[in-house]
Amino acid sequence: MVTKPQFAENANFSNGLAAVALFVVFAAIFLTTTFPEPAGFPQDASLVAGIGYAMFDLTGQSPVPTEGFLAAFEMVDIVLVGALVAAVMLASHESDRVKGMVTALTDGGSPTRAATEEHRSASSRAMPGDGEDGVADQSADEGGEQ
Amino acid sequence: MVPVKYYLLLSAAVFCIGLYGLLTRENALLFLMSVELMLNAANINFIAFSLQWGNLTGQVFSLFLMALAAAEVAVGIGIILVLYRNFKEINVTVPRSMRW
């Protein structure tokens, strides 16, 4: 059941005063500083097209002044792929790390039918007094080693 | 046209809300959300100064920052998952040593 948001009572509100004080300092600085009138962009210029040209180093075709960002674009590409791989590695169990990657690619990461049957049989064999977590962990480990 | 100082004020407010979340809470998911708020405050600054100087560089930078924020969230959620698996909770004050 979805519950209503509740006010946190265990938060360290005294630490938060530092953030409030920082905002007061920021506000005092920003509101007292004078900036020149914004240059803005031409009314008929396409900013989206300009961003696209900037990302592929085609700055000569951009309707708005900009710089080339092809190298940064490629670096971000590599970082995103690295983050994806790192997230999958962190999310997979250590016992079935090698197999987990294959499972994630083949059936979306859901347990295979054999693992499910094995888990059910292990659960039915468990005595009522025994901890269920131990049985589940044991069956998961057995499934990972196969 | 809205003067740039009001954009800066909005950015400072968003940044300080994120900082407030970091300083007051101990939940790793809330940490992640607070860091996202701080990153978005930087985005607002980039776009405000892009408008201020009539140059698209700030907007392209903010686009890259969003991509990096997505990468950070992917790794962050993976770390939170490992945290929960090892400690059965996601309170960031509980783990006191790195294990491998």
Side-chain angles (χ1 to χ4, degrees), chain B residues 20-77:
Chain B
Y20 183 87
L22 276 184
L23 292 176
T24 56
R25 307 306 297 269
E26 295 175 348
N27 186 315
L29 276 176
L30 290 174
F31 259 48
L32 210 56
M33 287 190 237
S34 300
V35 171
E36 287 303 307
L37 278 179
M38 294 166 83
L39 279 172
N40 280 309
N43 269 343
I44 293 171
N45 267 350
F46 275 130
I47 292 173
F49 280 103
S50 171
L51 178 76
Q52 173 73 18
W53 303 116
N55 193 311
L56 271 183
T57 301
Q59 297 202 20
V60 181
F61 251 94
S62 69
L63 205 62
F64 288 141
L65 203 58
M66 279 191 266
L68 289 179
E72 175 237 321
V73 165
V75 176
I77 288 180

Side-chain angles (χ1 to χ4, degrees), chain A residues 29-50:
Chain A
I29 293 171
F30 293 151
L31 291 178
T32 54
T33 308
T34 54
F35 291 95
E37 192 66 19
F41 298 109
Q43 288 289 333
D44 54 344
S46 170
L47 302 186
V48 177

Side-chain angles (χ1 to χ4, degrees), chain A residues 8 11-13 15-16 19 22-23 27 30 35-36 38-41 50-51 55 65-67 69 76 80 83 87 90-92, chain B residues 1 4-5 8-9 13 16 19-20 23-25 50-52 54-57 59-61 63-64 67-68 71 74 81-82 85:
Chain A
N12 305 320
F13 293 113
N15 290 350
L22 184 66
F23 176 70
F30 293 151
F35 291 95
F41 298 109
I51 292 172
M55 282 200 290
T66 183
E67 302 165 47
F69 287 98
V76 168
L80 277 176
L90 284 169
S92 65
Chain B
M1 200 173 288
V4 72
K5 64 181 176 183
L8 293 182
L9 200 63
C16 290
L19 186 65
Y20 183 87
L23 292 176
T24 56
R25 307 306 297 269
S50 171
L51 178 76
Q52 173 73 18
N55 193 311
L56 271 183
T57 301
Q59 297 202 20
V60 181
F61 251 94
L63 205 62
F64 288 141
L68 289 179
L81 211 59
V82 174
R85 196 176 290 152

